[in-house]
Amino acid sequence: MGQTHALSERAFVQGSLIGRIVAFLYGIAAYGVFFVTFLFAIGFIEGIVVPKTIDSGVAVPPARALIVNLVLMSIFAVQHSVMARPEFKRRWTKFVPPAIERTTYVLLASLVLALLIWQWQPMPALVWQIADSRLALAVTGLSFVGWLIVLTSTFLINHFELFGLHQVANNLTGRAMPEARFRTPLFYRFVRHPLYLGFIIAFWATPRMTVGHLLFAAVTTAYIFVGISLEERDLIKVFGEEYRRYKDRVSMIVPWRGSA
């Protein structure tokens, strides 16, 4: 998932002008794949607009659906977490130029998410359904507030660096990436991981919860907390005591002081 507080690697200027142009175009294309996949994922979760949603399709036996869906989410989690770790990046950038490391991560994450959406098996049994239309609309609105928090949080920590565009643009123009700086803008003053909070709201706030949707929400929420643990370990290595003080002062997910 996200790289909180502009945690970034320095991308060194490299290659010929043509190579840098190709890297830039690759970054633009990868961002385009991400953008389309992200929008489709919103429709997939919300059950609107897109042809394939979390509850659509022909239902297969529950055990088979459970196994397939868990495998798909595991692939996403492993790709997302392993490729985000500094140890992996140090090895990976021996083969992939540092300027396109983040772009490649974003592209592969988007393709894995697209695979999950494509192969997701519906589990349509109802867990709950809100009958009151006004309350259902309010819950749906809350879900979209979650998506808005996600998107806003990416811009607060540098949206274009998070998705690799800053790196390839600087590489094209011959500028090195600046050193990572610790910042806590807006939402980050109240919770350490507003981006993840937005995802949790978006996944759980639904007027119609099926077993499949519940499985997706529960597993991704569990993964979020695992991801936070790994990410904060890396942030402490980068920012040291400054991040430890921030961790002591600001809650993780719930916007009041406490361990959560």
Side-chain angles (χ1 to χ4, degrees), residues 127-202:
V127 178
W128 74 66
Q129 182 162 6
I130 298 175
D132 186 286
S133 59
R134 289 174 295 183
L135 182 56
L137 184 61
V139 172
T140 300
L142 178 61
S143 182
F144 279 101
V145 168
W147 292 114
L148 182 61
I149 292 171
V150 169
L151 186 60
T152 303
S153 297
T154 68
F155 281 98
L156 291 174
I157 59 174
N158 193 337
H159 176 89
F160 298 108
E161 182 178 343
L162 185 64
F163 295 105
L165 289 178
H166 192 185
Q167 291 88 327
V168 294
N170 274 16
N171 189 61
L172 177 65
T173 57
R175 295 194 299 267
M177 288 294 293
E179 294 288 348
R181 293 187 302 112
F182 181 74
R183 299 183 301 111
T184 58
L186 196 57
F187 298 155
Y188 289 90
R189 297 175 185 176
F190 305 101
V191 293
R192 301 197 302 274
H193 301 279
L195 190 150
Y196 298 138
L197 172 61
F199 277 123
I200 291 171
I201 293 171

Side-chain angles (χ1 to χ4, degrees), residues 40-50 52-55 144 213:
F40 199 105
I42 294 175
F44 174 77
I45 298 297
E46 299 296 333
I48 57 172
V49 180
V50 297
K52 174 70 183 291
T53 72
I54 200 165
D55 296 321
F144 279 101
H213 193 148

